[in-house]
């Protein structure tokens, strides 16, 4: 009962007191996908989440032992979808030469077809037993073109280079909806472990 996000994953992010959502797809037999901001401003650090019988999302957590942006020592909050669909990037799908981006609402073709409406950065991390890593091997891909689908729900971004194994941060700061609205969260992060070999 969360509108267009009903088939995605919600993940508690403790430190920043927020919930993110995840879109997954299978590429070359492996799961990968994109992470998007969903809801911030929680009162403490979320740890546990469960859906109630009415479809609302119950979130509980604590800042005990770790700091959390929310500021309170603990919290219990209920999140409900009120029926109004926010204008958001819904899905990012990998393509051999870039990404397909689907939105929750029809987009304005004029702004969505401008390559200047987007920016991309890519990097990776050192995977080791040590805690954390700096961003490594940063790349700034060039957006070669942006093509809008007939239903104005999708944009095909041709990007070069794509870097296998890198996280790709895509910003959509210039994209407007048909109603002239800006995106609530104009950003998504796609972890490109595999690059598809053919158009899907």
């Amino acid at each position: 009962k969360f509108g267009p996000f009903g088939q995605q994953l919600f993940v508690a992010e403790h430190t920043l007191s927020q919930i993110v959502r995840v879109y997954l797809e299978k590429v070359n037999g492996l799961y990968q996908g994109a992470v998007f901001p969903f809801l911030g401003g929680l009162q403490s650090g979320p740890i546990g989440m469960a859906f109630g019988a009415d479809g609302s999302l119950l979130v509980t957590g604590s800042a005990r032992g770790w700091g959390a942006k929310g500021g309170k020592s603990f919290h219990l909050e209920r999140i409900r979808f009120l029926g109004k669909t926010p204008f958001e990037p819904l899905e990012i799908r990998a393509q051999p030469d870039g990404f397909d981006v689907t939105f929750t609402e029809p987009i304005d073709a004029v702004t969505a077809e401008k390559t200047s409406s987007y920016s991309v950065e890519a990097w990776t991390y050192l995977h080791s037993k040590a805690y954390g890593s700096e961003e490594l091997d940063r790349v700034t891909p060039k957006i070669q073109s942006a093509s809008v689908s007939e239903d104005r729900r999708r944009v095909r971004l041709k990007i070069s280079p794509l870097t296998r194994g890198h996280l790709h941060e895509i910003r959509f700061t210039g994209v407007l909806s048909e109603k002239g609205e800006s995106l609530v969260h104009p950003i998504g992060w796609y972890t490109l472990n595999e690059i598809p070999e053919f158009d899907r």
Side-chain angles (χ1 to χ4, degrees):
K1 296 184 179 180
F2 269 67
F5 312 120
Q7 300 302 312
Q8 298 188 351
L9 303 177
F10 293 158
V11 179
E13 199 289 307
H14 184 274
T15 302
L16 296 179
S17 299
Q18 65 178 346
I19 298 170
V20 299
R21 57 183 174 86
V22 176
Y23 166 76
L24 290 176
E25 63 172 344
K26 188 175 281 189
V27 178
N28 298 338
L30 299 176
Y31 280 108
Q32 62 186 34
V35 176
F36 305 92
F38 179 65
L39 181 68
L42 298 177
Q43 295 178 357
S44 190
I47 298 173
M49 298 191 297
F51 282 103
D54 64 349
S56 62
L57 181 62
L58 301 173
V59 185
T60 184
S62 169
R64 184 177 179 182
W66 299 275
K69 185 177 180 180
K72 292 193 175 182
S73 297
F74 55 88
H75 72 135
L76 173 61
E77 298 178 71
R78 182 190 300 271
I79 300 165
R80 294 179 298 161
F81 179 62
L82 300 179
K84 182 179 179 182
T85 300
F87 180 43
E88 295 271 23
L90 179 63
E91 299 173 354
I92 300 176
R93 296 174 59 88
Q95 298 294 336
D97 55 358
F99 297 97
D100 258 357
V101 184
T102 303
F103 296 88
T104 58
E105 296 285 329
I107 52 179
D108 168 54
V110 174
T111 56
E113 289 186 340
K114 292 180 179 179
T115 57
S116 59
S117 292
Y118 311 88
S119 62
V120 182
E121 295 285 337
W123 63 87
T124 190
Y125 296 97
L126 178 64
H127 297 281
S128 72
K129 64 181 181 180
Y131 186 83
S133 164
E134 295 181 359
E135 297 174 0
L136 303 173
D137 193 22
R138 182 173 282 272
V139 179
T140 302
K142 181 180 179 181
I143 301 171
Q144 298 175 319
S145 65
S147 305
V148 176
S149 63
E150 289 186 11
D151 64 1
R152 296 193 177 185
R153 291 288 184 125
R154 291 182 297 110
V155 173
R156 175 70 178 273
L157 297 176
K158 290 190 176 181
I159 295 171
S160 180
L162 287 177
T163 307
R164 186 174 181 269
H166 275 39
L167 180 152
H168 289 67
E169 177 187 87
I170 308 174
R171 294 183 178 269
F172 316 97
T173 50
V175 177
L176 300 177
S177 72
E178 279 188 340
K179 302 173 185 176
E181 298 173 340
S182 297
L183 288 154
V184 177
H185 299 107
I187 192 170
W189 297 270
Y190 192 102
T191 300
L192 193 69
N193 293 320
E194 293 287 328
I195 298 175
E197 298 177 358
F198 54 90
D199 199 355
R200 296 174 294 141

